[in-house]
Amino acid sequence: MRVLDEITAGIQEVAKGELSHRIEVKTSDEFGVVAASINQMAEQLQLSLQEERNAVAAKNDLITGISHDLRTPLTSILGFLEYIEKDRYQDEIEMRYYVSIAYEKSLTLRKLIDDLFEYTRVSGGSLPLSLQALNLNSFLMQLAEEFTPMLEDAGMTYKIIGGQEPLWIQAAPGELVRAYENLFSNAIRYGSQGKLMEIGLALEGDEAVVRISNYGEPIPAQDLPHLFDRFYRVDKSRSRETGGTGLGLAIAKSMIELHRGSIVAYSEKGRTDFVTRFPVTAAPPSNYEE
């Protein structure tokens, strides 16, 4: 009866919301099994409640970040349009200057909205992928060529290391390209000082490894674990003033993980590397077109 009373008291504590309460299991008979089951139930409820709280906090953080990042360019747009609406300009040259600023801020706003839409699609895990055999070598070489104008504008060049042998993975090219576009753009934006973007390709065991490197200012060690968090920016030099929305690396990480891959960042004096890994797959038939 004492054991039954303890079980009853434990159930009452859990019913009152005391999910950390545990019943002391004193016997190995049916009463002990019941007590252990109640403890397991309370533990699962406690974990579920914590996960729900984390999800709510994450949603609130996302809404806060979105509101802040949308408000900033929108405020500028409305301000300069108000100058024009109320004829608060000296001449046509000044008016065109205001229009130009409003237009640039509108482009920033559109990019942020596009990135938010992309992040929501990817991070939810519901993005359907039409996978096919993809040669990472030719895929990244073609993408690097497409980035040549942007590299030239930044006073940079690119160099490919390795890649003599094809690296075949299962991927959706139209989706995976977004991840590497963000990694290339990041390397150009923050690595122009080093004049070079390096693309390393290698086979390590059963993994295809891609290393995107730049030679700009290093990322502080305390910031490395948070690089792939949404809206995270290291400092003012890595802000929207340089074109970033704070979502590019979060999108890249989510997209790569959807392809069963992984990404990690390393940074030391004079060099920053973003390393992605994917499980390799068998090469397709010889008549397969990449």
Side-chain angles (χ1 to χ4, degrees), residues 69-96:
D69 280 46
L70 289 176
R71 184 185 299 115
T72 302
L74 186 58
T75 300
S76 295
I77 293 169
L78 292 175
F80 286 108
L81 290 179
E82 183 181 3
Y83 287 164
I84 297 171
E85 173 68 20
K86 295 183 177 180
D87 296 328
R88 294 169 60 183
Y89 53 87
Q90 297 179 1
D91 50 35
E92 184 177 346
I93 294 176
E94 189 172 40
M95 182 191 71
R96 287 183 175 276

Side-chain angles (χ1 to χ4, degrees), residues 62 65-66 69-70 111-121 231 245 247 251:
L62 179 60
I66 291 173
D69 280 46
L70 289 176
K111 186 179 189 311
L112 175 58
I113 292 171
D114 289 344
D115 282 353
L116 284 169
F117 177 72
E118 187 76 4
Y119 176 77
T120 303
R121 283 202 313 148
F231 298 116
T245 63
L247 286 170
I251 292 171

Side-chain angles (χ1 to χ4, degrees), residues 219-256:
I219 300 170
Q222 67 269 20
D223 293 305
L224 280 173
H226 306 289
L227 282 182
F228 302 102
D229 295 348
R230 57 180 178 249
F231 298 116
Y232 188 83
R233 298 185 179 92
V234 175
D235 54 32
K236 291 182 179 179
S237 67
R238 295 171 179 266
S239 69
R240 72 176 63 82
E241 297 303 319
T242 55
T245 63
L247 286 170
L249 292 179
I251 292 171
K253 181 176 186 291
S254 296
M255 187 64 74
I256 287 166

Side-chain angles (χ1 to χ4, degrees), residues 99-131:
V99 170
S100 175
I101 294 177
Y103 176 70
E104 291 298 325
K105 295 296 182 181
S106 297
L107 293 179
T108 300
L109 191 59
R110 185 177 70 178
K111 186 179 189 311
L112 175 58
I113 292 171
D114 289 344
D115 282 353
L116 284 169
F117 177 72
E118 187 76 4
Y119 176 77
T120 303
R121 283 202 313 148
V122 175
S123 63
S126 59
L127 180 67
L129 295 178
S130 179
L131 300 178

Side-chain angles (χ1 to χ4, degrees), residues 140-184:
L140 290 172
M141 289 176 185
Q142 179 180 341
L143 184 61
E145 278 298 307
E146 294 173 3
F147 267 77
T148 298
M150 187 182 298
L151 285 162
E152 290 179 349
D153 288 343
M156 297 176 68
T157 58
Y158 76 88
K159 177 182 179 182
I160 294 179
I161 298 177
Q164 287 77 19
E165 297 296 326
L167 296 175
W168 291 97
I169 67 169
Q170 286 291 316
E175 305 296 344
L176 187 61
V177 71
R178 183 64 192 274
Y180 282 104
E181 283 177 345
N182 287 341
L183 292 177
F184 282 14

